[in-house]
Amino acid sequence: MLFSKTFSRFIQKNICDSRCYNSNKNPITRTLDMIKNDLKRKKNIVYPEHADVVIIGGGFIGTSVGYWLKTRASSGLSVVILEKDLSYVNVQQNISHSAFTQHFSLPENIYLAQYTAEFFRNIKANLKSDIDINYCPNGYLILASEKYAERLEQNVAFLKEFGVKNELLTAADIKDKYPWINTSDITLGCISTESEGVFNPWALLKGLVMKCIDLEVNIVNAEVIGFNIEQQRDVLMEGVAPGKFKKINEVIYRTNDNEEHAIKFAACVLAAGDCSGEIAKLARIGIGSDLLKIPLPVERREYNIYSIQDEMMKASLNTPVIMDTSGLWLRRNGLESNFFCGYHPLTTNKPKELLDGNYFKNVILPSISNRYPIIKEQQVMKVTTEANDCNTFDESGILGTHPYHTNMYIAAGFGKLGCQHAPGIGRAIAESIIDGNYSSIDLTRFGFDRILLNEPLIESNMY
């Protein structure tokens, strides 16, 4: 999934810091040439000095925030997105983001997933008429061993209260439907009957970016390097000594031409994915005193994605995404004759461990061999390494204003759920800025305060 010529030209014409590039038959070479030319060419570009809202990060969540702010307020708000990599190379490699499910234990995640299903149903009206996210409603199959069977039953009953339709399957039912799955250690399964499947996340992101441009969101190709902080002697805040409060009011960024600029803002949205924790430090979050002592616990987590040739499995095109009780997931690669698979790591796994060859040999390969015994080791090949923004505190997203910097809105730490939840997250941030509260889905529990209070919010169905 690489830049289409149409999208590439559209971006070049409409974003700040755009250039004209030579065409190249090889898309990868073309992208690299674009970056090289950026460093060589220089134009008299006018960079914005003021904005009502500055969004740091132009990925799924950042562009969704921009889309919703301008959809709600139109010309009443000036919105700038700062994105350091408009080639979106990392996004194009994120295969696991294409799975869409409602199978959660937290009401917030269920409501967000339900809204995304609605957003997808009306995708052409919401974004552009020529957008096609290739949504395939082939379902999501959850497998549970005896240890997790009771929890699965309870969760299915819980999901019914939210109108989510699932069907419980016995091990015999699963074996009958999918004879290539080993069910000897499976007690129960659950398969969705509507609004779950796979989609093209790259097409969704392109749609959000192009719609932002249509709505006159100013997208700037630049990297955030700091904030200007102004002392507010007349502001009183609990936990902060009188006259000592300092407010962030300006973001400093560096362009590809190595020039530094600043934008004054009323509100700032931090949606920079796995860079969010480091950018937060620029506002002294995690390195300051009092309320600024606690860091934003969002870090980069990398893991490998593998391909399995479907020479023996002969699975049908409507084979669901399969989530194993061990943490292994598997999904068919569209119309191709292979499957993609990966492993949802434990919170105790160290980042380097996930990319180690021993982790594949000792954890992933045994899980594949156990669940799909007809697969041979030589059929499993690594295809890419993905990166997610992991909230190391409880692995749930962090959303809402920071308790000290009340004009900074955080939207990070959602991991791969950030893609499928992006429409609802963007709407929630826009509501928070414009209305002062969440008016559609109450996402208060995702707030930073739970970290201050040491109250983890655990999504128990991400195993």
Side-chain angles (χ1 to χ4, degrees):
M1 294 182 291
L2 293 161
F3 254 91
S4 68
K5 289 182 180 179
T6 303
F7 184 57
S8 180
R9 289 170 185 159
F10 192 84
I11 288 288
Q12 290 166 26
K13 283 181 64 179
N14 289 279
I15 64 170
C16 185
D17 199 5
S18 60
R19 306 289 197 274
C20 295
Y21 303 101
N22 294 326
S23 61
N24 194 300
K25 292 182 180 179
N26 187 313
I28 298 176
T29 305
R30 184 169 66 247
T31 301
L32 293 174
D33 286 344
M34 288 166 60
I35 297 171
K36 290 176 184 176
N37 289 339
D38 264 345
L39 297 174
K40 291 178 182 178
R41 300 184 181 189
K42 193 171 184 177
K43 287 187 176 182
N44 295 322
I45 299 166
V46 178
Y47 291 100
E49 296 180 353
H50 301 271
D52 293 314
V53 183
V54 173
I55 302 168
I56 302 173
F60 295 103
I61 293 176
T63 53
S64 178
V65 174
Y67 161 79
W68 277 109
L69 285 171
K70 296 296 281 186
T71 297
R72 288 282 310 276
S74 188
S75 58
L77 279 178
S78 58
V79 180
V80 173
I81 292 177
L82 299 175
E83 169 55 48
K84 67 178 181 179
D85 179 21
L86 285 172
S87 68
Y88 294 110
V89 170
N90 291 331
V91 176
Q92 296 175 54
Q93 295 174 340
N94 285 355
I95 294 167
S96 70
H97 289 193
S98 62
F100 172 65
T101 181
Q102 301 177 80
H103 195 90
F104 298 109
S105 63
L106 294 177
E108 291 87 349
N109 280 331
I110 298 170
Y111 284 133
L112 283 169
Q114 289 178 327
Y115 176 67
T116 296
E118 178 187 334
F119 190 88
F120 283 180
R121 280 192 288 270
N122 301 288
I123 193 77
K124 293 183 182 296
N126 290 329
L127 300 182
K128 295 172 76 73
S129 59
D130 60 345
I131 291 297
D132 184 1
I133 61 170
N134 306 120
Y135 177 64
C136 299
N138 49 5
Y140 210 91
L141 173 64
I142 309 291
L143 303 178
S145 61
E146 184 177 0
K147 179 181 177 181
Y148 295 104
E150 184 178 355
R151 191 175 81 184
L152 181 61
E153 273 189 293
Q154 292 171 348
N155 191 241
V156 168
F158 177 67
L159 288 168
K160 283 182 180 178
E161 297 177 16
F162 292 84
V164 179
K165 297 180 180 179
N166 289 296
E167 177 187 352
L168 284 171
L169 303 175
T170 65
D173 294 331
I174 298 168
K175 193 67 177 177
D176 184 58
K177 286 176 176 284
Y178 315 104
W180 41 275
I181 297 178
N182 171 31
T183 58
S184 61
D185 57 347
I186 294 297
T187 301
L188 203 61
C190 166
I191 190 165
S192 52
T193 56
E194 66 177 28
S195 298
E196 294 193 347
V198 295
F199 66 99
N200 185 340
W202 177 229
L204 173 64
L205 179 59
K206 287 195 292 184
L208 286 166
V209 171
M210 290 192 289
K211 189 63 176 181
C212 279
I213 292 171
D214 283 353
L215 294 169
E216 298 185 344
V217 174
N218 194 348
I219 303 177
V220 180
N221 191 185
E223 181 177 7
V224 171
I225 58 173
F227 292 92
N228 281 330
I229 303 177
E230 183 181 69
Q231 192 149 2
Q232 305 274 303
R233 297 187 182 278
D234 57 341
V235 174
L236 296 177
M237 178 179 286
E238 186 177 351
V240 180
K244 297 295 183 181
F245 177 76
K246 295 180 180 180
K247 179 182 180 181
I248 56 171
N249 62 357
E250 195 171 45
V251 61
I252 306 166
Y253 63 90
R254 182 185 293 123
T255 68
N256 284 344
D257 295 321
N258 209 31
E259 294 181 353
E260 292 184 10
H261 301 270
I263 307 176
K264 286 192 174 181
F265 57 80
C268 171
V269 179
L270 180 53
D274 56 51
C275 297
S276 297
E278 290 301 310
I279 292 175
K281 290 179 183 177
L282 300 176
R284 300 201 58 77
I285 297 173
I287 59 175
S289 57
D290 302 317
L291 290 174
L292 292 174
K293 283 182 180 179
I294 307 299
L296 178 63
V298 175
E299 298 178 1
R300 183 181 181 88
R301 173 183 274 177
E302 293 181 316
Y303 45 86
N304 294 326
I305 305 297
Y306 302 89
S307 172
I308 302 172
Q309 284 303 122
D310 183 19
E311 295 173 0
M312 300 292 293
M313 296 160 77
K314 304 298 180 187
S316 64
L317 293 176
N318 64 350
T319 298
V321 179
I322 302 172
M323 187 71 198
D324 190 63
T325 189
S326 66
L328 180 74
W329 61 264
L330 183 100
R331 77 162 180 84
R332 191 178 181 91
N333 181 21
L335 299 177
E336 303 298 322
S337 62
N338 69 304
F339 278 83
F340 288 128
C341 76
Y343 202 85
H344 186 78
L346 301 171
T347 54
T348 53
N349 290 134
K350 296 178 181 178
K352 289 184 179 179
E353 178 186 358
L354 302 177
L355 302 179
D356 190 275
N358 289 327
Y359 186 76
F360 172 75
K361 254 183 202 179
N362 300 329
V363 178
I364 298 177
L365 189 58
S367 297
I368 294 173
S369 301
N370 173 59
R371 190 61 56 224
Y372 314 109
I374 60 176
I375 296 174
K376 307 301 179 187
E377 181 176 352
Q378 58 268 26
Q379 291 177 261
V380 184
M381 298 174 291
K382 174 189 163 185
V383 289
T384 188
T385 298
E386 289 189 0
N388 279 334
D389 54 330
C390 176
N391 173 10
T392 57
F393 176 69
D394 60 12
E395 296 201 338
S396 290
I398 301 171
L399 193 70
T401 56
H402 186 269
Y404 182 94
H405 294 306
T406 54
N407 62 339
M408 174 181 277
Y409 296 78
I410 299 170
F414 284 88
K416 67 179 181 181
L417 293 184
C419 175
Q420 80 156 54
H421 285 351
I425 293 171
R427 182 178 65 170
I429 290 291
E431 290 172 351
S432 189
I433 292 173
I434 296 171
D435 303 328
N437 61 277
Y438 299 127
S439 51
S440 298
I441 303 172
D442 186 359
L443 300 175
T444 305
R445 294 203 302 168
F446 279 141
F448 193 96
D449 286 356
R450 77 178 192 273
I451 300 169
L452 296 177
L453 299 172
N454 194 28
E455 296 178 352
L457 187 64
I458 307 296
E459 174 52 68
S460 61
N461 279 330
M462 290 296 290
Y463 62 88

